[in-house]
Amino acid sequence: MARMTMIEAIRDAMDVKMGMDEDVVVFGEDVGYFGGVFRCTQGLQKKYGKHRCFDAPINESAIVGAGIGMATYGKRPCIEIQFADYVLPAYDQIVSEAARIRHRSNGQFTAPIVIRMPTGGGIFGGQTHSQSPEAIFTHVSGLKTLIPSNPYDAKGMLIAAIEDDDPVIFLEPKRLYNGPFDGHHENAVTSWAKHEKGEVPEGHYTVPIGKAEVVEKGMDVTILAYGTMVYVAQAAAKENNIDAEIIDLRSLLPLDLDTIVNSVKKTGRCVVLHEATLTSGFGAELTSLVQQHCFNHLEAPVLRVAGWDTPYPHAQEWHYFPGPKRVGKALKRVVEAQ
Amino acid sequence: MSDEKMPKATGPLSISIPEPPGRPGDAPDFSYIEVPKAGEVECPAIDTKPEDMRHLAYSIVRVLSRKGNAVGPWAEFLGDDLNDESLLRGLKDMMKTRIFDARMLTAQRQGKTSFYTQCLGEEAIATGFQRMMRKGDMNFPTYRQQGLLIADGCSMFDMICQIYSNEKDNLDGHQLPCLYSFKDHGFFSISGNLGTQYVQAVGWAMASAISGDDKIASAWIGDGSTAETDFHSGMLFASVYQPPVVLNIVNNQWAISSFNGLAGGRNAPFAARAHGYGFPSLRVDGNDYLAVLAASKWATERARRNLGPTLIEWVTYRVAAHSTSDDPSAYRPKEESDAWPLGDPVERLKLHLIKKGAWSEERHTQAMAEIESEVIAVQKEAEKYGTLNRGKGPDPEKMFEGVYKEMPDHLVRQRLEFEA
Ligand SMILES: Cc1ncc(C[n+]2csc(CCOP(=O)(O)OP(=O)(O)O)c2C)c(N)n1
Ligand SMILES: [Mg+2]
């Protein structure tokens, strides 16, 4: 076991896989010599050579497109998009190509590629360093979409993603890179050093894709969350003395419906959280599934707390971010509903 | 095809992974840049056919000699634009840009803003180019062209309030610091996504031409960002429709930690990219204010005379860190900027003006002090209206405004929820 930040855990996952499998290649903007703007690939080029870990030109479409080409040859590209906000130029390659190549060639060609990207806000990054684009990926057939919330999961899920035979979108909540963050931006930053999920085993292990984790057991309400919002949920429940069952979804697609349904059947109430904008967000999918599978158990309408339907503002960041106050309000409404 | 008819393979294949000539600890090495003598490169007539001036992409237009004299055909081409008054103005524009940057860099370190991008060492390009733009023309800049605004006389108060995201921020806190929008100064709203605006500039110029107007557009991009698809899209549309646009590439050698070879800039000069599209290009000493004026005049005149697009590669060096989030000592030799062969744009113009008897060390020192106090005074005034996270800031509800012209019901409901 070692103490790691999420950055170190992600790096360690790539290190483990690069050591085990010559076909794993890592590339992206500034990832080679420099080790990435968030330092997730630091040292990999030195250790595995320039042909295994290298810088790419600033062209996201080409980075993903070339990655797909390599994957269809038999490589296991694990590529970095510098910020999730910059994946959009690559969207066509992801949606029309990576996601469909297995289906359209009937399995002759497959694209086992991992596309990593820092996601979410909380760093005053304005509209182009803060977005949470998960729903534009979960909407696409053929992609898997993962979002870990701690170092332990990050490493195990990234290893599982690299080993997966289908394309995986791997979202890294950047506000969690150096420590858990509960939305109380006015408080001092906490680090992973004291958090149990900052304990990361050495070597190879996986956290299976498609499995959620119940991070708090509770009876009053089920909170469905992922990424940064897991910690916001914990803070909001605690501050309002609500006995919430908090589920960290981890894998948005495939989704662990059993864990969700079992929990909501027990609590009879559900609040869905995400940082991404509300309308057509992944919360709409979750809400729909909950009402379909738990209808007779529900004692209150399912509520969603999400980013407002605006571009992510710079100055009003903390008015925009769905922090513990807004989450707490929703929890009370749902718990108190007759 | 049968295997016997194929030529034998020569051995295992390999790819090339480009590396810069120096990393931290290495001696800086700029031997890859061939610097011609000032005045050496010809100045073609404005209506020269692209195929007759291809060699200009492989040299560097330079006007200021090592000794500070203005020499050669591009100096002659400047004609009346070479008067002392306009050059002194240029010098002060560059000095102001530099001092403004230094003050804002410090302000960022003091927590008054979240982010800042300097253009240290690159001041000549934007300030000089703007002299050749006219009211109504439109620049599509990047975050490193603040010199366009300074040279156009944009209010520094307005610029600082945007940087501070304070209550007087003309963008109401919506956008990142330095990603200005000043329509009245022909300065298009800057996107944070690289390259997207290159093709938009081309479209804007097409619209001007379709409308029978006389306005021109100017596109800006960094060396690293020429890799983006939108750069190539812009080049294509410029080639096909021949609109009145100047396509600028600011080649400052670096894109964060990536040297310009990663954008293909060491296999051929960026300027040569125009050749495949069949329009003319210039490669210019971006640290030579006079060369900047001359090349800008050439390309803007060509656009105004309906002779179509010109690509300009400005050869310069990013002396500053990429941004306040960056530390270049992790990826390039520390002494690299001192070894840069094209010198410093402010020092070079200063030397020229002193040589001409239009300026002196004393006046320079005095001007520095004057500009510095001007910037400090404006900064103080701006700080009365707050800095990031200090003071009232833009009205939080303003984040709901400007998403649409008229706020749809779902946003009205969200705003109500926000107020509650
Ligand atoms: C689409 C997109 N991809 C990546 C980035 C991140 N990024 C911001 S600036 C930059 C480097 C740009 O370098 P260059 O074009 O040379 O301009 P310079 O900063 O040197 O002026 C990168 C990679 C971005 N803003 N947008
Ligand atoms: Mg650059």
Side-chain angles (χ1 to χ4, degrees), chain A residues 30 33-34 50-51 55 57-60 82 85-86 124-125 127-129 278 308-310 313-316 319 329, chain B residues 15 17 19 23-24 114 165 172-174 176-177 192-193 227-229 257-258 262 330 389 395-396 399 410 414 420:
Chain A
D30 300 293
Y33 181 87
F34 186 52
K50 286 195 280 186
H51 290 79
D55 289 325
I58 306 171
N59 185 320
E60 292 76 13
Q82 201 160 81
D85 313 73
Y86 304 139
F124 274 100
Q127 54 180 255
T128 50
H129 304 87
L278 179 79
W308 308 114
D309 284 334
T310 75
H314 174 254
Q316 299 94 340
H319 296 286
K329 257 191 193 172
Chain B
I15 61 167
I17 308 281
E19 272 299 321
R23 288 296 192 185
S114 57
S165 296
D172 287 336
H174 289 178
L176 269 182
N193 291 53
E228 289 284 8
T229 304
S257 78
S258 302
L262 270 160
N389 299 327
D395 188 347
M399 72 181 154
H410 75 283
Q414 289 184 21

Side-chain angles (χ1 to χ4, degrees), chain B residues 108-182:
Chain B
Q108 193 276 341
R109 297 209 171 118
Q110 295 166 336
K112 293 174 182 171
T113 179
S114 57
F115 174 82
Y116 194 73
T117 47
Q118 297 173 270
C119 64
L120 187 61
E122 306 175 31
E123 294 91 345
I125 300 162
T127 56
F129 185 87
Q130 188 59 16
R131 291 273 69 79
M132 299 300 162
M133 291 294 266
R134 295 186 191 154
K135 189 123 198 91
D137 294 342
M138 189 64 76
N139 280 299
F140 289 71
T142 81
Y143 45 81
R144 232 182 279 289
Q145 271 85 51
Q146 54 268 55
L148 296 170
L149 289 171
I150 298 278
D152 203 59
C154 180
S155 141
M156 286 192 291
F157 174 84
D158 290 345
M159 292 170 75
I160 297 175
C161 289
Q162 197 280 332
I163 292 165
Y164 286 168
S165 296
N166 68 13
E167 64 182 280
K168 293 272 185 189
D169 172 6
N170 72 331
L171 307 180
D172 287 336
H174 289 178
Q175 180 59 306
L176 269 182
C178 308
L179 300 192
Y180 309 106
S181 181
F182 286 107

